[in-house]
Amino acid sequence: QVQLVESGGGLVQAGGSLRLSCAASGHTFSSTTMGWFRQAPGKEREFVASINWRWSDGATKYADSVKVQFAISSNNAMNMVYLQMNSMKPEATAVYYCAGAEAYRSGDYYKDYKYWGQGTQVTVSS
């Protein structure tokens, strides 16, 4: 059974930092794309960042709104994906989801992802 489990969410003041972690298990995520999405109240789920991992060059992609403040990375040996969020703004408040595809994908289209975590709440206070 495939599981993606996010952790690291919480409450942070504007300008602060958080690091989200995603632990993947139950599937050999090789030659695939892993991503982070977020959904704020009353809004649609939106792409945040993605990374191609294992048998690739680790290419990353970011939404324009986060490309300066956020960084996605992975530890392939540990089956972990991370999202470092710096200089956070209140508009980053959302539930953040880790997602895994079954092959390399463009990264920013949520329907390309088959596996999803349960989400972790991130709240940025002003």
Side-chain angles (χ1 to χ4, degrees):
Q1 182 180 357
V2 176
Q3 274 195 316
L4 298 177
V5 179
E6 304 97 335
S7 61
L11 174 65
V12 63
Q13 289 188 332
S17 299
L18 278 178
R19 188 193 195 205
L20 303 183
S21 299
C22 174
S25 63
H27 179 74
T28 302
F29 286 97
S30 61
S31 304
T32 189
T33 298
M34 301 294 292
W36 287 96
F37 287 74
R38 66 186 179 187
Q39 188 166 19
K43 295 187 177 181
E44 294 186 351
R45 187 169 300 191
E46 66 172 353
F47 168 74
V48 177
S50 66
I51 186 168
N52 291 342
W53 73 342
R54 293 201 180 274
W55 317 117
S56 179
D57 59 1
T60 57
K61 180 182 287 188
Y62 295 93
D64 287 342
S65 59
V66 306
K67 63 173 56 177
V68 175
Q69 293 95 357
F70 291 9
I72 188 171
S73 62
S74 67
N75 182 327
N76 296 345
M78 299 293 292
N79 277 3
M80 296 290 296
V81 181
Y82 307 99
L83 184 68
Q84 179 67 44
M85 304 184 291
N86 301 320
S87 302
M88 298 186 72
K89 304 173 183 178
E91 48 264 42
T93 295
V95 177
Y96 283 71
Y97 297 91
C98 176
E102 289 195 306
Y104 291 130
R105 294 288 183 261
S106 64
D108 54 359
Y109 185 45
Y110 75 95
K111 288 189 176 181
D112 282 340
Y113 293 88
K114 181 175 182 178
Y115 306 106
W116 293 84
Q118 82 289 350
T120 185
Q121 176 69 47
V122 171
T123 303
V124 185
S125 63
S126 58

